[in-house]
Amino acid sequence: MIGRSRRSFLWLGGAAAAGALIPAGCSDGMVPRGAGPGASTGDGPFALLRRRWRDVTAGSGFDPAAEPYRSRLAELGAVAAAYRDAMAPTGASLWPGLDFPSFTATPARLRTMARAYALPGTGLTGDAALAAAVAAGVDHYRRRVYAAGADPVGNWWDWRIGVPRRLLDAAVLIGPHLGEAPRGALLDAVDHFVPECVLDDYSGTSTGANRVDLCTVTLLRAVLGSDPRRAALAVSALSPVFPYVREGDGFYRDGSFVQHTSVPYQGGYGVVLLSGLATLFAVLRGSPWEVTDPDRRIVFDMVERSFAPVVHDGFCMDLAGGRGIGRRPYEDHRRGHAIAAAVLLLGESASAAERARWRAMVKGWALRDTGVPMLRAAERSDLGFHARLAGVLHDDGIPAAGEPDGHRLPAMSARAVHRRPGWCAGLSMASDRIGHYEHGNGENLRGWHTGAGMLHWWAEGHGDQYSDFFWATVDPYRLPGTTVSTLRLADGAGGEWGDTRPPARWVGGATDGVYAAVGQHLNGFGSTLEAFKSWFFLDDAVVCLGAGITAADGVRVETIVDNRRTGAPLTVGGAVDGDADGVTHGDAEGDADGAAHGDVYGAAQETGGGGAAWAHLEGHGGYVLVGGAPLHTLREERTGRVGRTGGDDDDGGADPVTRSYTTLWLDHGVDPVSAGYVYLLLPGADLAGTRARAADPGRVRVLANTARQQAVRVPSLGITAVNFWTAGAAGDLAASAPCAVLVRERGDGTATLTVADPRRDLDALTVTWDRPVAEVLRAPPLLTGAGTGARLVLAFGRLADQEGGSRTVTVRLGWRGVWPGARTAPRDRWTRAR
């Protein structure tokens, strides 16, 4: 969906004008009520669906006399009564101050009133006068705005999803109180604006989450009209949502979820899809229209493969939030809570084993979310979710699952998530498939550089780092981890809805599920900037390399080592200032008048005996700068305004907010040519640990940092990792074509070699490892040949079909025919695992 717009609207402009909404090949949508075989043949199943809809969507599973339900239900009743009493229908509004079309607020108020009528304990439960007010309001809005002859000017989503969903919901909840004539007129209006042919083709605005919403509207229309044919249509039209896709909107085999063609969106449209399907599965279970498509299995699989990886301690990472990241403070926690609610509801339709895992996972999220406690938030937003979550939290038989260690690299969405004990990191990139950023409806107008390698990270206790007005106050040209041209950009530069894809194809990397080598061939957004960026994800560090940084915009180019929303003390030392102990700068909050204070330190080059440059931010982590440009630091107070929400009740973000920031960056100068950098990010490291890492430059050895290869070796972990931007060699690894390779030598005499084709274009690849190897123990089908002996030579077939995914070969090290100094040809001997 493309969300709600605030453009001016005209309505009641005649049926002919409504043709703009009707797709090619559709009629005018005016299908006679009850038409078609089997229509209106009995109300028994629909009575079940009406009860289920009320229980699943309005709330159930709680004691209305117990707290907090008693208070919340009474509050709902009071709000509904106030809405009822304030109704003053005119030709231009239903409530004073909510002038038509009022696509969000007016239908939402009617639904709130209907829920107060349908739910127990509101003080208005079953109140005929309240139901009559809802019925009158629905019909008034239908006549003045949502009439079958209206001109649907503006955003299609309001006419096809937002308005009909709320109006039909309210009408279903009040049941027979909406008389036959008003009900028929509402059905006619829905048929006009949501003709059946919108479900004929899986394309355009009828894909992914939008398709689920359209099917939900169709089902509600069927329930209100007791129409079994339309109920069957609503269910059958879900089928295209389930299968994996290879392009465009939907789920990918690697766990990616994309909407708007080029935007990773688990935290927006993805959770709308997941919640919508969970609702439909629950409502339709046991009915004649139960969803039985065998591909629905994929939706259950995606809970742990797609959604769980982007949820950390109860919030959903902004790298999966699209244009909504700056909508409100703590929006990431709201997204995480919505995912948790959908997972618990979907669990009621899942297997017992899945339900047990998911409940443990959600329990862990809820217990760790201290920024916005999940149970308390559910009490205010969704009583059904609150009841399910309370049941999980109070059940001692359900363990609280911890954060899963390991690395997830959904290459098709140009994202990476790394978890190790005590910290987590998320990386967002842009590629020929994935846009730099998404904006639309006035939202996220300065998110230009979020795809330029933004590295989000959290140590323990940092759950609100990007939540508490971060997007309203951060310098948008200095997002952490990015390399950017400082060329000024217009708000909303580039195409809307994620149409900001660069040409670069080498974006992704290789992972063995624990460690990873990730890279991005970066084309700067709105500039001539080109760079090659790599991140090597380890146990306690992310090794960050940049090379080939070149631009010709006449402005400076910077790499942002970090930009933390904090004023905690910053200490810098080592080669940056010649002081091994470091120089500490106090709290930014204590600086007089909130002035910005910056410093520039000497070039951060590795030293022969004194170690590398370093910096430490108290309570956050450390940084070791091994090579590159001078280090700059800035401590400042930044003031901004909350971005617009896009809703009818949005106040425009009138109140300014101020937050403290500490920024560390490398200045590559004006129009750099082949500039580079090397630094280590140490999440959660203390001051002593940071100094120790800086004094031990051999712990991570940089083998190459050029526009041809970027490579590191970590002897303590047995890791050698190379991003081959072109064919060539680095260290003891060589590749015949661009690829990513991660080698991990284990203590048991075996090693794994993981390879990937981030460009997705290789028909063949040969990787050579200059180490003695006795035999291949396990290999993927794509391995077409292997030579062992003094060195290992692996030949892979068509990696282009693997969608950038990693493939791992396991080998046994050593060969009896090799002795010190011997040089022999490899043997063609390998064993495929059975």
Side-chain angles (χ1 to χ4, degrees):
M1 80 188 181
I2 296 177
R4 298 174 294 279
S5 173
R6 284 194 158 188
R7 305 177 210 175
S8 60
F9 289 79
L10 300 175
W11 57 93
L12 295 179
L21 189 70
I22 309 300
C26 280
S27 69
D28 65 0
M30 298 300 290
V31 179
R33 296 192 304 279
S40 301
T41 58
D43 195 55
F46 290 104
L48 169 67
L49 296 189
R50 283 190 283 273
R51 289 195 300 271
R52 287 270 186 82
W53 180 261
R54 177 198 63 200
D55 291 346
V56 172
T57 63
S60 62
F62 51 81
D63 179 358
E67 292 294 355
Y69 308 108
R70 179 181 176 182
S71 296
R72 296 287 79 76
L73 290 167
E75 181 179 319
L76 173 63
V79 170
Y83 286 163
R84 177 199 60 199
D85 296 342
M87 284 178 65
T90 69
S93 68
L94 185 55
W95 278 281
L98 291 181
D99 291 346
F100 291 150
S102 185
F103 286 132
T104 299
T106 294
R109 287 187 177 188
L110 293 169
R111 182 174 62 181
T112 295
M113 294 164 63
R115 287 182 173 178
Y117 167 84
L119 284 173
T122 66
L124 293 172
T125 306
D127 185 287
L130 177 64
V134 174
V138 167
D139 195 51
H140 183 78
Y141 190 84
R142 191 271 314 162
R143 285 186 287 111
R144 296 294 179 175
V145 179
Y146 203 66
D151 177 6
V153 178
N155 198 314
W156 71 271
W157 185 90
D158 295 299
W159 300 93
R160 285 202 168 144
I161 293 174
V163 170
R165 168 74 179 261
R166 295 184 180 96
L167 294 182
L168 288 168
D169 192 352
V172 167
L173 290 176
I174 63 172
H177 291 279
L178 183 66
E180 182 177 351
R183 181 170 64 252
L186 178 59
L187 295 177
D188 286 344
V190 173
D191 291 344
H192 179 73
F193 293 114
V194 194
E196 293 182 14
C197 62
V198 301
L199 301 177
D200 287 349
D201 296 320
Y202 194 67
S203 61
T205 57
S206 187
T207 62
N210 291 333
R211 172 58 72 98
V212 173
D213 278 339
L214 289 168
C215 288
T216 300
V217 169
T218 301
L219 179 66
L220 281 171
R221 187 257 178 257
V223 171
L224 185 64
S226 298
D227 187 337
R229 185 182 63 81
R230 279 189 174 83
L233 172 63
V235 173
S236 64
L238 286 172
S239 290
V241 173
F242 301 137
Y244 292 118
V245 300
R246 296 182 67 91
E247 62 181 2
D249 295 352
F251 290 113
Y252 293 74
R253 291 185 182 275
D254 66 3
S256 298
F257 177 81
V258 170
Q259 190 98 26
H260 289 173
T261 307
S262 59
V263 184
Y265 240 135
Q266 289 96 321
Y269 296 94
V271 69
V272 170
L273 181 148
L274 189 68
S275 179
L277 290 175
T279 298
L280 293 176
F281 291 170
V283 169
L284 294 166
R285 190 168 60 250
S287 78
W289 306 284
E290 182 169 0
V291 182
T292 59
D293 189 313
D295 282 339
R296 82 178 202 149
R297 171 73 255 162
I298 292 172
V299 176
F300 295 88
D301 293 341
M302 288 297 105
V303 168
E304 289 162 287
R305 293 182 56 195
S306 182
F307 291 94
V310 298
V311 176
H312 175 64
D313 289 352
F315 61 84
C316 176
M317 301 176 188
D318 287 332
L319 55 81
R323 74 179 187 276
I325 54 177
R327 189 167 289 163
R328 291 172 291 183
Y330 292 92
E331 187 70 17
D332 51 351
H333 290 262
R334 293 182 180 89
R335 293 194 304 266
H337 299 175
I339 291 173
V343 167
L344 289 184
L345 179 57
L346 185 66
E348 297 181 2
S349 301
S351 68
E354 288 169 323
R355 187 160 52 250
R357 292 198 308 272
W358 298 352
R359 287 176 174 174
M361 179 175 69
V362 171
K363 187 172 186 174
W365 291 345
L367 292 177
R368 293 191 299 274
D369 189 353
T370 58
V372 182
M374 191 180 292
L375 189 63
R376 188 185 307 164
E379 176 186 330
R380 305 298 305 184
S381 62
D382 185 340
L383 293 182
F385 173 39
H386 185 281
R388 295 184 191 97
L389 182 58
V392 168
L393 291 175
H394 298 153
D395 187 341
D396 293 337
I398 299 176
E403 286 282 301
D405 286 347
H407 191 93
R408 296 298 299 269
L409 181 55
M412 296 302 281
S413 56
R415 297 296 189 262
V417 177
H418 189 71
R419 287 181 168 89
R420 300 304 293 158
W423 65 282
C424 176
L427 177 65
S428 59
M429 302 172 286
S431 71
D432 64 324
R433 294 180 39 80
I434 301 299
H436 271 280
Y437 81 115
E438 183 195 42
H439 72 91
N441 285 346
E443 295 182 302
N444 199 35
L445 298 178
R446 297 183 177 183
W448 317 292
H449 298 304
T450 49
M454 182 175 179
L455 186 61
H456 314 66
W457 64 270
W458 303 266
E460 291 185 1
H462 292 177
D464 65 349
Q465 173 61 211
Y466 308 101
S467 309
D468 185 12
F469 292 98
F470 175 86
W471 295 103
T473 54
V474 72
D475 184 342
Y477 294 94
R478 287 179 171 167
L479 300 180
T482 60
T483 297
V484 300
S485 166
T486 58
L487 188 68
R488 299 295 98 171
L489 298 170
D491 286 0
E496 290 184 301
W497 317 120
D499 187 16
T500 55
R501 289 172 287 181
R505 298 193 63 190
W506 204 125
V507 178
T511 179
D512 62 3
V514 180
Y515 305 107
V518 183
Q520 178 183 17
H521 179 191
L522 173 64
N523 298 116
F525 180 73
S527 72
T528 63
L529 173 66
E530 182 180 25
F532 297 86
K533 293 170 68 70
S534 288
W535 299 265
F536 300 97
F537 291 91
L538 308 176
D539 279 335
D540 63 346
V542 183
V543 184
C544 306
L545 272 63
I549 302 171
T550 301
D553 298 317
V555 298
R556 293 185 176 277
V557 172
E558 299 176 350
T559 292
I560 314 306
V561 175
D562 213 339
N563 195 356
R564 299 294 280 177
R565 190 191 52 74
T566 183
L570 172 69
T571 304
V572 294
V576 292
D577 66 352
D579 189 336
D581 292 329
V583 175
T584 301
H585 304 263
D587 292 339
E589 290 90 338
D591 291 339
D593 301 321
H597 295 271
D599 293 282
V600 182
Y601 297 90
Q605 301 291 340
E606 183 176 343
T607 61
W614 57 268
H616 180 263
L617 192 55
E618 185 175 302
H620 290 258
Y623 312 86
V624 176
L625 298 100
V626 181
L631 173 68
H632 292 244
T633 68
L634 176 66
R635 298 163 60 70
E636 62 177 339
E637 300 284 308
R638 293 187 57 83
T639 299
R641 297 176 184 272
V642 179
R644 58 163 292 183
T645 68
D648 280 10
D649 294 326
D650 173 34
D651 65 3
D655 295 332
V657 292
T658 300
R659 293 294 182 268
S660 301
Y661 282 86
T662 299
T663 312
L664 298 86
W665 77 96
L666 306 174
D667 185 349
H668 303 297
V670 176
D671 294 342
V673 178
S674 295
Y677 62 83
V678 179
Y679 66 88
L680 277 66
L681 167 66
L682 306 171
D686 60 16
L687 181 59
T690 302
R691 286 175 177 154
R693 288 302 296 269
D696 185 12
R699 187 165 176 176
V700 175
R701 301 172 185 173
V702 177
L703 305 178
N705 187 28
T706 71
R708 297 180 63 84
Q709 292 92 31
Q710 290 177 307
V712 300
R713 177 173 292 150
V714 187
S716 62
L717 297 177
I719 287 177
T720 302
V722 186
N723 286 332
F724 289 96
W725 304 107
T726 64
D732 49 17
L733 284 168
S736 64
C739 65
V741 181
L742 172 68
V743 175
R744 181 150 62 114
E745 300 177 58
R746 301 174 182 272
D748 61 359
T750 66
T752 57
L753 289 87
T754 301
V755 303
D757 170 22
R759 290 172 54 91
R760 311 175 310 283
D761 65 357
L762 291 180
D763 291 323
L765 172 69
T766 300
V767 174
T768 302
W769 188 29
D770 195 11
R771 284 292 305 277
V773 171
E775 60 180 330
V776 174
L777 300 175
R778 185 177 294 109
L782 282 172
L783 188 67
T784 59
T788 59
R791 65 182 182 273
L792 177 69
V793 180
L794 300 176
F796 294 89
R798 186 172 169 78
L799 287 166
D801 296 331
Q802 304 307 302
E803 299 181 342
S806 300
R807 296 296 178 265
T808 298
V809 177
T810 304
V811 301
R812 188 182 308 282
L813 298 173
W815 179 44
R816 287 177 298 178
V818 175
W819 59 91
R823 303 296 297 174
T824 63
R827 297 187 301 172
D828 292 325
R829 176 175 176 271
W830 65 293
T831 303
R832 188 183 299 276
R834 301 184 186 280

